[in-house]
Amino acid sequence: MSRILASAVVDTIKPATPKTIGHFKVEVWGKAPYDYVRVYEIMAKNDTMAAQEGIRRFVNEMGKLDLPKEQP
């Protein structure tokens, strides 16, 4: 599998507090050949962890696609 490069932007739906986790909307997009956009709603302790989880989900989803391999 070729390397999957992705970026993310996080919007706070409900901020985290010391007693509760936050609710975030994470938009993730990749670079060719994985140039898709996905939006995930993620519960996390903070926006950084939400972004990491969004990218993890995107990479997992893109890894399951049967795309042609990039030439080095």
Side-chain angles (χ1 to χ4, degrees), residues 32-47:
Y34 303 99
D35 51 346
Y36 296 90
V37 177
R38 296 291 187 268
V39 177
Y40 305 102
E41 286 196 15
I42 297 174
M43 305 289 283
K45 290 183 180 180
N46 58 49
D47 59 348

Side-chain angles (χ1 to χ4, degrees), residues 2 17 24 48 61 70-71:
S2 63
T17 68
F24 302 93
T48 301
E61 190 176 337
E70 271 191 65
Q71 298 300 322

